[in-house]
Amino acid sequence: MSVEREENESRVEAPTLTTRVRTAAASVGVYDLVLAVIPLVLTGGALVGTTGHVSFTAGTAGGSLAGAVLVWYAVFGIPPGYS
């Protein structure tokens, strides 16, 4: 009977999906967010230029400017290795 008890206590349950998602979300850093947002602002600028009241060139330029600001922030605002 004690052998069964030890086997049951030594079993480790696999993490659930929500636990894995929470763990992955907690490990996302600032640089990961910047890399995720850059294509979004570029695409947003193109969409505004296509469907909005501005020209495609102006929309793309605005998205590119926002992307450049994000890259500047990642490189100079919070430089790699900065603690």
Side-chain angles (χ1 to χ4, degrees), residues 4 6 12 15 23 37 54-55 63 69:
E4 290 178 17
E6 289 176 9
V12 177
T23 304
V37 171
V54 297
S55 67
V69 167

Side-chain angles (χ1 to χ4, degrees), residues 5-55:
R5 181 184 234 181
E6 289 176 9
E7 287 179 5
N8 288 337
E9 290 176 359
S10 65
R11 289 186 190 166
V12 177
E13 293 184 23
T16 62
L17 178 63
T18 54
T19 304
R20 288 186 288 175
V21 168
R22 265 190 257 138
T23 304
S27 66
V28 173
V30 175
Y31 294 106
D32 297 323
L33 294 175
V34 168
L35 288 174
V37 171
I38 289 172
L40 293 176
V41 296
L42 293 174
T43 304
L47 286 174
V48 167
T50 303
T51 60
H53 295 289
V54 297
S55 67

Side-chain angles (χ1 to χ4, degrees), residues 52-72:
H53 295 289
V54 297
S55 67
F56 181 75
T57 305
T60 306
S64 299
L65 181 62
V69 167
L70 286 170
V71 170
W72 180 90

